[in-house]
Amino acid sequence: MTAKNGDSIAANRVRMGRPGVVGAGRDRFGLTGTSQAFDPRVVAIRPDLADIAVAGQHFAPHYAAPMMRSGVLPAATMRAAPSLDAEQTSELLFGEGFALLDLTGGWAWGYSLADHYVGYLAADALGVPIAPTHRVHAAEAILHSAPDAAAGGSAILPRGALVMGEAEGEWLATSHGFLPLAALVDVDARDDDPAAVAEALTGTPYVWGGRTAKGIDCSGLVQLAWSMAGVQLPRDSDLQLASLGPDKDVDPAALARGDLVFFPGHVGIMADDANIIHASRRWMAVNSEPLADVIARSAAKGNDVPVSGHKRLR
């Protein structure tokens, strides 16, 4: 790992030896066989560096042991490259864990511990790791400077943010300020109606890579809704479908509230047996509409199987 000033933190980096050569030195090790195919969205490999966890399967010039960090911004943008012009691929919410593999030029590279999604963050988005005690359950929670509703707020944390603190009356005291307990739930609490979480975000602008009420995409909506129910899904819709397994015999008439419905490059949650809640690029917002309309639009694009799969997580 390289610090901001360019100094190498050698303890966290290991050099790869020649394939098939064992005992190539104290900072080297040998690998045999061929490097396996991988998905760069969830496997941390760059041309110059890789997560040491994949050393047995993938070749890289160097490997790094991750340093654990947590998000300290309400929602930090994750990008595909270390540039403000790079595509936003996801967001790291306040308190979520991050495995830091490299720190160079003010950019941190690694992956979210929640879904293993790989990307770049601004270095100041990360702080010391925490052991969360609570999760924000309200749409947003104001971080107050004192345990008083009239006190000024230093930040607004989104639903799903993780915090650590001790209860003091009706407030949670944290190292960053005070949060109203009414806006929180215990970190292990489970919501029994993920569709309600999605419905509460109706009207939220569609933002590629978004995961909050400021802006969200289709897979971010599904991921957030089910994380509140204690089910951590991958970040992208195709990864979610792959992790759940497609239901080839899906019958739209048999769907029920909370079912996930997958289309090519899209996913939504059933509000009832006929309507789907989704972050729609057509409407550029989270909305609820008849599933039949979404199927018809998908079919009009030439998709042979408009509904490619679903999974009930109940």
Side-chain angles (χ1 to χ4, degrees), residues 24-241:
R26 287 185 302 173
D27 64 344
R28 296 170 179 261
F29 58 93
L31 299 175
T32 60
T34 58
S35 186
Q36 302 174 13
F38 65 93
D39 188 333
R41 292 175 296 175
V42 291
V43 180
I45 298 180
R46 300 189 317 201
D48 64 324
L49 184 66
D51 182 5
I52 198 169
V54 305
Q57 298 81 40
H58 306 287
F59 293 119
H62 298 87
Y63 297 93
M67 297 177 65
M68 296 302 109
R69 293 291 184 265
S70 290
V72 295
L73 299 182
T77 298
M78 292 183 66
R79 299 186 183 277
S83 168
L84 292 177
D85 295 328
E87 176 185 85
Q88 174 174 309
T89 56
S90 190
E91 291 179 301
L92 184 77
L93 304 188
F94 187 95
E96 288 187 323
F98 189 82
L100 176 62
L101 295 169
D102 186 65
L103 187 61
T104 303
W107 289 95
W109 178 69
Y111 53 90
S112 165
L113 295 182
D115 54 21
H116 221 279
Y117 213 69
V118 178
Y120 289 86
L121 294 165
D124 60 5
L126 300 176
V128 297
I130 66 170
T133 59
H134 294 75
R135 182 189 301 270
V136 175
H137 189 266
E140 295 180 319
I142 297 177
L143 189 61
H144 294 265
S145 59
D148 185 340
S154 60
I156 300 177
L157 305 187
R159 176 182 276 117
L162 299 173
V163 293
M164 179 178 70
E166 295 185 2
E168 294 183 2
E170 298 179 349
W171 296 84
L172 184 77
T174 78
S175 61
H176 297 274
F178 295 84
L179 290 161
L181 284 170
L184 311 175
V185 293
D186 289 343
V187 71
D188 295 325
R190 300 290 181 261
D191 195 315
D192 61 1
D193 187 8
V197 176
E199 287 173 330
L201 290 163
T202 298
T204 297
Y206 180 94
V207 173
W208 181 269
R211 296 180 62 211
T212 77
K214 303 295 185 185
I216 203 164
D217 62 19
C218 67
S219 55
L221 179 68
V222 166
Q223 186 188 54
L224 176 60
W226 277 101
S227 71
M228 300 302 290
V231 178
Q232 185 59 53
L233 294 176
R235 181 60 182 89
D236 294 339
S237 60
D238 63 321
L239 297 173
Q240 292 171 355
L241 180 59

